[in-house]
Amino acid sequence: SAVISQKPSRDICQRGTSLTIQCQVDSQVTMMFWYRQQPGQSLTLIATANQGSEATYESGFVIDKFPISRPNLTFSTLTVSNLSPEDSSIYLCSVGLSGSSYEQYFGPGTRLTVT
Amino acid sequence: QKEVEQNSGPLSVPEGAIASLNCTYSDRGSQSFFWYRQYSGKSPELIMFIYSNGDKEDGRFTAQLNKASQYVSLLIRDSQPSDSATYLCAVDGGSQGNLIFGKGTKLSVKP
């Protein structure tokens, strides 16, 4: 597996502001993903972060609201823009290891509360 | 729309018993199947994966796959209170390498 860290671990933000979440991996990985987990719910994929190109977004998620960067094979950021209380959730990054098709390992998550 | 279905539970078993967790999936073309354990307030942890029909055992955990029935299960033998968590079933989502998750089954193991 890989050691994955996320910053911040939690934050409280005001409506209308933005939060950028960082995901750092201790080794180079091919695939990085961003998920949202709303209270009491399962995981919903937001997008696949592609190194050197634009992220691939799932239905219902758009780049203007969730811009993603992936400058190299160990780091990615997710920004949640123009925050509303409905964005209160846990945001998780995960990585897929090369040669281990579809196995994903998750970071510790970022708990966002929007007031 | 690919779907993964799980009974949300809670599933309650006594300590030492076998816990059986079930999952069905909609896409007959799915090839990779995963079980994650998620403790309250923590992120999901991969505990088992299975790619071929049949059983795969790892310690107290056994994953079972029946592609004809589109059915995956996880058996936990000698259940311990520390096994109390939500168990998420996940299935490969296709070419992007992403996973489709079920809503999870909450397991409670009573001492």
Side-chain angles (χ1 to χ4, degrees):
Chain A
S1 62
V3 177
I4 307 163
S5 59
Q6 281 186 240
K7 286 193 230 182
S9 59
R10 59 177 63 225
D11 207 343
I12 301 173
C13 299
Q14 290 194 341
R15 184 194 300 256
T17 63
S18 298
L19 176 70
T20 295
I21 303 167
Q22 298 179 5
C23 179
Q24 179 76 53
V25 191
D26 68 341
S27 58
Q28 293 187 341
V29 295
T30 304
M31 310 292 283
M32 292 183 80
F33 305 89
W34 287 99
Y35 289 84
R36 181 174 72 183
Q37 187 172 32
Q38 295 179 306
Q41 302 297 312
S42 189
L43 286 77
T44 301
L45 181 65
I46 297 171
T48 302
N50 303 308
Q51 195 266 329
S53 65
E54 200 168 279
T56 305
Y57 289 85
E58 296 300 300
S59 177
F61 297 95
V62 295
I63 188 171
D64 289 347
K65 176 68 174 176
F66 298 99
I68 288 171
S69 77
R70 176 92 191 269
N72 56 53
L73 293 175
T74 64
F75 186 79
S76 178
T77 66
L78 168 72
T79 299
V80 190
S81 304
N82 190 24
L83 290 167
S84 69
E86 293 72 35
D87 295 319
S88 296
S89 188
I90 297 172
Y91 292 86
L92 295 144
C93 73
S94 75
V95 304
L97 303 181
S98 299
S100 300
S101 182
Y102 293 105
E103 289 173 46
Q104 289 184 27
Y105 298 88
F106 285 85
T110 296
R111 182 181 294 272
L112 169 62
T113 303
V114 182
T115 60
Chain B
Q1 181 79 359
K2 298 177 182 178
E3 294 184 341
V4 177
E5 300 285 343
Q6 293 182 257
N7 187 326
S8 62
L11 173 65
S12 183
V13 301
E15 183 174 358
I18 296 175
S20 178
L21 304 162
N22 305 314
C23 171
T24 59
Y25 58 96
S26 64
D27 183 6
R28 192 169 286 278
S30 296
Q31 297 293 321
S32 307
F33 307 87
F34 304 88
W35 284 99
Y36 286 83
R37 178 176 62 198
Q38 187 172 28
Y39 292 114
S40 181
K42 301 294 185 183
S43 63
E45 174 192 8
L46 179 63
I47 56 172
M48 288 287 288
F49 57 87
I50 186 166
Y51 301 141
S52 304
N53 271 332
D55 295 359
K56 179 182 179 182
E57 187 174 316
D58 183 2
R60 295 187 296 113
F61 298 99
T62 299
Q64 299 176 318
L65 174 60
N66 184 327
K67 289 186 179 180
S69 300
Q70 296 175 237
Y71 179 90
V72 191
S73 66
L74 178 70
L75 301 178
I76 306 174
R77 290 181 300 280
D78 188 24
S79 295
Q80 301 297 309
S82 58
D83 295 324
S84 298
T86 296
Y87 289 80
L88 300 167
C89 174
V91 175
D92 70 86
S95 59
Q96 288 285 334
N98 58 305
L99 296 177
I100 310 293
F101 282 84
K103 294 186 176 181
T105 298
K106 187 171 185 177
L107 173 66
S108 177
V109 181
K110 304 296 187 184

